[in-house]
Amino acid sequence: MSSATLAGCGALILWAFLAPLARMAGALPPLQITALAFAAGGLIALAVVAAQGRLSLLRQGGLAWAHGVGGLFGYHALYFAALALAPAVEANLLNYLWPLLIVLLSGPILGLPLGPRRLAGVALGFAGCALLVGAGASFPPSALLGFACAIGCAVVWAVYSVMSKRMSAVPTEALAGFCLASALLAGLAHLLFESSVAPDAMQWLAVLLLGAGPLGAAFFLWDAGMKRGDPRLLGTLAYAVPVASTLLLVLMGEGALTWRVAVAALLVAGGGLLAATVRD
């Protein structure tokens, strides 16, 4: 496994902490959390880029900004819209189509071979995710708009991720600007659609940790993984995120270790092993 693919795995590990840290943030509205966390992550990244004397790398063309901000903000905006307009279980299940889509799109967009073992691996991963995330799912017609938003966010993140390889000339440092622009857009959406809540000390800590990890460093690691690593393997391994996130919540006392979690972990691990052992 290349160092770039390992960097992408680092992003997956950080994303596993998204749900526990969101629980830690308590009753803060989701768009407010997103705006604050993106701002924290963007400012931390900006400080690092400035310390390296590489601020000039933030000057990118319109296509790079559309790709970066469209992916980061577009995904989160559609995800929160899906949660508002559809039941959370079903919205989350549809959202987790993005790892499968990354693998499938790597063929036509990037010209990468897929093969039966890779497809079997991602199918096992999705089965594990469906077992864990989609228990008792139903799809009432009244929530069609929310389901469309959930599918939309999966498509946006998959296209953003796969197209990152096509945007390899855009330096990873430019993500500092994309995060800050996403923070601004999320802040405007928050003011339009939510009521502000003053964070307490624990909530500020959660926001800073979110900005430093799942909504900060994770995007930089994912960018490196998508541009220079194997998007097919990362897409398959991404199904470990909901399993790892659930296990972390169990450790926090937020849930129980059930047979669904155990079987889902085995399916995801089996799928990841299948994909990891494929040789092109």
Side-chain angles (χ1 to χ4, degrees):
M1 189 182 295
S2 70
S3 59
T5 302
L6 284 172
C9 291
L12 298 178
I13 292 171
L14 288 176
W15 283 330
F17 287 88
L18 181 60
L21 288 174
R23 291 288 182 93
M24 184 176 163
L28 289 180
L31 285 171
Q32 183 179 355
I33 294 175
T34 304
L36 292 173
F38 264 129
L43 289 172
I44 292 170
L46 190 67
V48 173
V49 174
Q52 295 173 339
R54 298 165 70 87
L55 282 175
S56 60
L57 295 179
L58 271 64
R59 297 195 200 101
Q60 298 296 323
L63 182 60
W65 280 90
H67 172 258
V69 179
L72 298 182
F73 175 71
Y75 169 78
H76 290 88
L78 285 169
Y79 179 66
F80 289 131
L83 291 180
L85 297 169
V89 167
E90 289 80 354
N92 262 315
L93 182 59
L94 293 174
N95 163 59
Y96 272 110
L97 287 170
W98 66 261
L100 173 63
L101 291 175
I102 285 176
V103 177
L104 296 179
L105 291 175
S106 294
I109 293 179
L110 301 177
L112 297 174
L114 298 179
R117 285 184 66 183
R118 223 174 237 114
L119 294 175
V122 76
L124 281 176
F126 181 73
C129 177
L131 178 66
L132 180 64
V133 178
S138 62
F139 296 89
S142 58
L144 282 179
L145 181 57
F147 299 146
C149 289
I151 293 171
C153 74
V155 171
V156 165
W157 191 252
V159 171
Y160 164 77
S161 298
V162 174
M163 287 301 294
S164 291
K165 209 171 190 73
R166 294 280 192 184
M167 307 284 289
S168 57
V170 179
T172 297
E173 288 86 348
L175 278 166
F178 303 156
C179 284
L180 290 174
S182 298
L184 178 61
L185 290 174
L188 291 173
H190 160 65
L191 293 175
L192 285 172
F193 301 114
E194 296 176 339
S195 299
S196 297
V197 174
D200 60 25
M202 183 62 71
Q203 289 168 332
W204 274 120
L205 177 61
V207 164
L208 290 174
L209 291 174
L210 281 167
L215 293 186
F219 295 134
F220 292 81
L221 293 170
W222 189 247
D223 189 70
M226 285 292 113
K227 285 178 177 173
R228 297 182 292 278
D230 186 344
R232 301 161 299 179
L233 179 55
L234 286 171
T236 305
L237 295 178
Y239 279 118
V241 172
V243 176
S245 184
T246 299
L247 291 174
L248 286 171
L249 288 171
V250 169
L251 290 175
M252 291 173 61
E254 294 282 346
L257 188 60
T258 65
W259 69 267
R260 287 183 183 276
V261 178
V263 175
L266 288 174
L267 288 170
V268 170
L273 184 62
L274 264 182
T277 53
V278 173
R279 296 291 179 264
D280 290 325

